[in-house]
Amino acid sequence: MTQADFVETIGLCQFLPGPNIGNASIVLGKRWFGFAGALVAAAGLYALPLVWVLALGALYLEFADHTYVRAVVTGVGAAGAGLFIGTAIKLGTALVRKPAALVLLLGCFLAVGVGRVSMLLVMPLAAVVGIWIARRGWL
Amino acid sequence: MIVLELALYFAALSLVAFGGMPAVMPEMQRFVVEVKGWTTPAEFTQLFAVAQAAPGPNVLIVSLIGWKVGGLAGALVGLVAVCGPAAAIAWWVTELWERFKESPWRAAIQKAIAPLVVGLILSGGYVLATPHAIPEWRMWLIAGAAAAIHVVTPRLNPLWLLAGGAALGAILLS
């Protein structure tokens, strides 16, 4: 597999719906070993981390009543939320020069983040609007 | 029954999860907390924290929710449901997508999806840092600091930021 091929495959998997790395395991597993390959790759990807996360989760649920444990875990959650915000800022700076893209971005944030409208409603609607705008060359 | 509901919902979510898991966090939180009441808002942020801190793909938060709601069966069903439909798309669409490489529609779809995904990821951060829909300065301080450091030092391993969040949480939130 070449570097360019890898970049393209990862790019596609980031675009496709669903867990990116999970999609990559399907696409690559399929390419080299067909259906069995895809299945084994996905199983291999998730098996051990699943055990880990459930072990950590069980540990957390065991001590969740403890004030300090809750404070620490909530702090980690807040930092994780910050990582999302930082990622959005990094990705968003690429769109700053395109007003139509910023309007879509903010509209999406106000509807889903602040307004708590279901994404299952917002996403198809916004996608249609976005594709229309993109076809006019505004994105 | 609850496991069936879990399966159907996460399978549907899988199909709209453009941009991966961060983009569907606000929707997952809305459904799990506000619609179903499977966890409290604070618990959801904590389960998210456990999934972030654990090694492996962050989609595993779905297993934690499933575990909380339906035990081991819930954990497995949730994970298969959230990965399955997306995996089917990845299986079928890859070649199709290649074939339309030159199509203006493909370019338009990609350009349209990009700002939406960014808006959704921003929403996810906002919702997780604002669990009770009321701004809470200590949560926002930790999130804001992590966001700022993540932007200015892109090479820093995010685990350090999570560790910093743990330390600040112990000081500020207990």
Side-chain angles (χ1 to χ4, degrees):
Chain A
M1 186 172 208
T2 66
Q3 174 76 16
D5 198 10
F6 178 78
V7 169
E8 179 146 345
T9 304
I10 294 299
L12 173 64
C13 292
Q14 279 173 336
F15 171 73
L16 289 175
N20 301 333
I21 182 102
N23 287 340
S25 73
I26 299 293
V27 171
L28 295 178
K30 176 188 183 185
R31 182 181 307 176
W32 290 316
F33 302 104
F35 185 72
L39 211 61
V40 169
L45 174 70
Y46 287 116
L48 203 56
L50 178 66
V51 173
W52 266 110
V53 84
L54 290 184
L56 263 181
L59 201 67
Y60 154 71
L61 288 174
E62 184 73 28
F63 293 103
D65 294 333
H66 199 288
T67 316
Y68 260 104
V69 172
R70 226 175 13 217
V72 166
V73 176
T74 305
V76 173
L83 286 177
F84 280 19
I85 295 168
T87 302
I89 291 170
K90 281 200 268 189
L91 295 172
T93 46
L95 306 170
V96 161
R97 285 158 195 279
K98 297 171 184 161
L102 282 185
V103 169
L104 273 179
L105 191 165
L106 281 178
C108 209
F109 171 66
L110 289 176
V112 173
V114 182
R116 310 312 318 275
V117 182
S118 171
M119 177 192 159
L120 300 172
L121 281 176
V122 174
M123 196 62 190
L125 206 71
V128 169
V129 174
I131 290 167
W132 182 72
I133 292 175
R135 290 290 282 163
R136 307 202 60 159
W138 293 346
L139 286 176
Chain B
M1 267 336 275
I2 209 162
V3 172
L4 183 67
E5 203 171 6
L6 199 76
L8 290 177
Y9 176 73
F10 281 113
L13 203 59
S14 177
L15 294 174
V16 293
F18 291 97
M21 279 303 114
V24 293
M25 286 313 291
E27 166 61 23
M28 204 188 291
Q29 203 263 12
R30 188 192 69 87
F31 185 79
V32 170
V33 174
E34 291 182 17
V35 178
K36 288 290 152 193
W38 286 338
T39 74
T40 67
E43 270 172 346
F44 187 89
T45 297
Q46 288 157 15
L47 290 179
F48 162 74
V50 171
Q52 286 290 104
N58 51 11
V59 62
L60 288 166
I61 187 182
V62 174
S63 292
L64 284 177
I65 294 166
W67 169 273
K68 176 124 202 303
V69 178
L72 189 59
L76 292 173
V77 166
L79 187 62
V80 170
V82 80
C83 293
I89 291 182
W91 176 274
W92 294 113
V93 167
T94 314
E95 278 106 40
L96 198 70
W97 197 243
E98 281 304 301
R99 207 177 323 146
F100 288 106
K101 210 167 190 173
E102 310 300 328
S103 161
W105 283 100
R106 173 175 154 168
I109 293 171
Q110 272 177 318
K111 281 181 181 164
I113 297 287
L116 301 180
V117 166
V118 179
L120 289 170
I121 294 175
L122 187 64
S123 303
Y126 173 82
V127 167
L128 287 161
T130 320
H132 299 280
I134 307 158
E136 216 278 294
W137 72 268
R138 292 169 300 181
M139 294 289 281
W140 281 21
L141 182 74
I142 299 171
I149 298 171
H150 190 50
V151 171
V152 295
T153 57
R155 283 165 186 278
L156 184 72
N157 188 330
L159 278 177
W160 288 111
L161 296 175
L162 298 182
L168 278 177
I171 297 165
L172 292 172
L173 299 169
S174 62

